[in-house]
Amino acid sequence: MKLLEDRIRKDGVVKPGNILKVDSFLNHQMDVELFNKMGEEFKRLYADAPITKILTIEASGIGIACIAAQHFHVPVVFAKKSQSVNLDGEMYTAKIESFTHKRTYDVIVAKKFISPDDHILIIDDFLANGCACLGLIDIIRSAGATVEGVGIAVEKGFQKGGELIRKQGIRVESLAIIESMDDKTGEITFRN
Ligand code: 5GP
């Protein structure tokens, strides 16, 4: 999506450790008009999928998922991060290793919000090593629901997440895929 690539080139900052900072428009301050265009694009890409729900993970996926949901006319569920899960049988849980914070979280979704007849689109801001998405896929499968696909704002194509998920036969649509980036020069190259 050219609009997003242009914005990343203009306002994204490449940090050491393969981190792209996009906090001026994506995951701290949020450009909601840009989110709306991204939501439109997710809807165009998944127009043929019978999506009943969008699943994301707190915190930075929530804004993008909510704006996208207005194009799909479905509810958004976000997986909550928690450091100690009180397993009472009412929750689906998955362990997720945070790429940016280098620690492991349990994420939880209440069982009542995902049912076997749901067709779910996962939406998140970044795809890096794929841990967050794979955790959400696990949760959807535990519920017996269908993963219709994954919608990502920024995929870092040089990390393994995209390949891992696509290898499972799951559709992944990323609005911008970074082929390489250099924290010394600030240069960012996108995949065609
Ligand atoms: P993964 O689980 O795919 O390794 O990482 C995905 C999560 O880590 C995303 O939800 C995002 O919050 C965070 N993340 C991964 N890479 C980056 C990055 O380069 N920049 C920012 N801002 N967040 C990232």
Side-chain angles (χ1 to χ4, degrees), residues 17-23 27 57-58 60-61 81 96-100 124-133 156 159 161 181:
N18 282 334
I19 298 280
L20 175 67
K21 265 199 106 121
V22 286
D23 58 356
N27 54 20
I57 183 164
E58 71 176 355
S60 44
K81 288 176 183 162
I96 289 181
E97 196 185 315
S98 162
F99 178 78
T100 38
D124 204 3
D125 59 341
F126 272 90
L127 179 57
N129 289 326
C131 210
C133 277
K156 292 188 289 181
Q159 290 182 249
M181 57 188 202

Side-chain angles (χ1 to χ4, degrees), residues 4-188:
L4 180 60
E5 290 182 2
D6 288 348
R7 188 61 178 272
I8 292 169
R9 274 209 184 86
K10 179 169 162 275
D11 292 331
V13 181
V14 184
K15 296 281 185 190
N18 282 334
I19 298 280
L20 175 67
K21 265 199 106 121
V22 286
D23 58 356
S24 66
F25 62 98
L26 201 81
N27 54 20
H28 192 9
Q29 176 168 257
M30 296 183 281
D31 182 340
V32 177
E33 282 178 28
L34 174 66
F35 283 18
N36 195 43
K37 297 276 187 233
M38 289 160 49
E40 248 174 52
E41 183 61 8
F42 284 132
K43 176 64 191 173
R44 190 186 68 77
L45 292 163
Y46 282 103
D48 55 345
I51 288 158
T52 60
K53 220 160 255 188
I54 290 175
L55 179 64
T56 188
I57 183 164
E58 71 176 355
S60 44
I62 296 175
I64 298 168
C66 286
I67 303 288
Q70 291 187 302
H71 295 272
F72 287 88
H73 305 287
V74 299
V76 174
V77 177
F78 66 92
K80 297 186 173 204
K81 288 176 183 162
S82 116
Q83 274 176 45
S84 62
V85 174
N86 194 355
L87 287 169
D88 60 3
E90 299 302 314
M91 302 282 180
Y92 295 113
T93 69
K95 279 212 181 310
I96 289 181
E97 196 185 315
S98 162
F99 178 78
T100 38
H101 299 116
K102 309 282 176 231
R103 50 194 244 233
T104 302
Y105 296 91
D106 287 302
V107 296
I108 55 175
V109 175
K111 285 190 172 172
K112 63 184 171 189
F113 296 129
I114 305 184
S115 65
D117 50 3
D118 272 321
H119 289 253
I120 298 182
L121 174 64
I122 294 169
I123 285 191
D124 204 3
D125 59 341
F126 272 90
L127 179 57
N129 289 326
C131 210
C133 277
L134 289 166
L136 297 181
I137 290 166
D138 247 24
I139 285 176
I140 294 169
R141 289 186 169 154
S142 308
T146 307
V147 183
E148 281 296 331
V150 177
I152 297 290
V154 187
E155 176 176 342
K156 292 188 289 181
F158 53 87
Q159 290 182 249
K160 64 178 196 295
E163 194 193 336
L164 278 177
I165 298 165
R166 290 182 180 101
K167 254 202 212 146
Q168 293 194 16
I170 293 171
R171 182 175 175 192
V172 180
E173 298 285 358
S174 300
L175 303 184
I177 303 183
I178 297 177
E179 199 64 78
S180 63
M181 57 188 202
D182 186 331
D183 64 274
K184 307 267 182 330
T185 62
E187 197 181 334
I188 299 171

